[in-house]
Amino acid sequence: MQRVLISVLLLTAGLTPAAAATLTVNITDVEDIDGVVRVAVCDRKHFTEAQCAYKGSAPANADGQASVTIHDIPPGVYAVQAYADTNNNDRLDTNWIGWPKEGMGFSNDAQMHHGPPSYDDAAIKLSEPGGTIRFSMQYF
């Protein structure tokens, strides 16, 4: 009987859906509405890198706002980063000294001072079923 119970538990364990959240990111103050706004939801290890696991994009509207919704994010602590990909080349363009030529923004409106903000300044806690955050695009 114990073997049957264990077998049933193992079989049904694989049928339980994993917890997931949906995050909507509203970005304001997009100066150039050409191209798209790209958003990435990053864990500490991948913050400010292109390898963030959860990404999405959307065009900005005429009012300089964009809304990006990303689905199926496991609950946890993340930092959200965005940039205005005005030429739609799927990368953040920089000048010869490395300063961004396109707008950037981070969750909690974490400010950039001679580089990106710290992960802790931009960190948000995401729980099921998810939620909405808002932050502004910053330009240099």
Side-chain angles (χ1 to χ4, degrees), residues 18 30 63 116 134:
V30 180
D63 294 330
R134 174 183 302 274

Side-chain angles (χ1 to χ4, degrees), residues 101-114:
K101 292 168 55 176
E102 298 170 307
M104 295 183 67
F106 297 90
S107 43
N108 298 328
D109 272 322
Q111 297 296 302
M112 297 179 284
H113 300 286
H114 305 292

Side-chain angles (χ1 to χ4, degrees), residues 4-72:
V4 172
L5 182 58
I6 290 171
S7 297
V8 169
L9 288 174
L10 289 175
L11 286 173
T12 59
L15 300 176
T16 305
T22 297
L23 179 64
T24 298
V25 181
N26 293 320
I27 300 161
T28 62
D29 301 322
V30 180
E31 292 179 1
D32 188 342
I33 61 170
D34 292 331
V36 297
V37 174
R38 298 192 188 279
V39 173
V41 180
C42 309
D43 60 16
R44 183 180 295 272
K45 181 178 178 182
H46 297 101
F47 181 56
T48 70
E49 296 179 2
Q51 293 83 11
C52 295
Y54 310 101
K55 298 177 183 180
S57 64
N61 64 25
D63 294 330
Q65 299 180 28
S67 183
V68 178
T69 300
I70 303 170
H71 301 279
D72 300 323

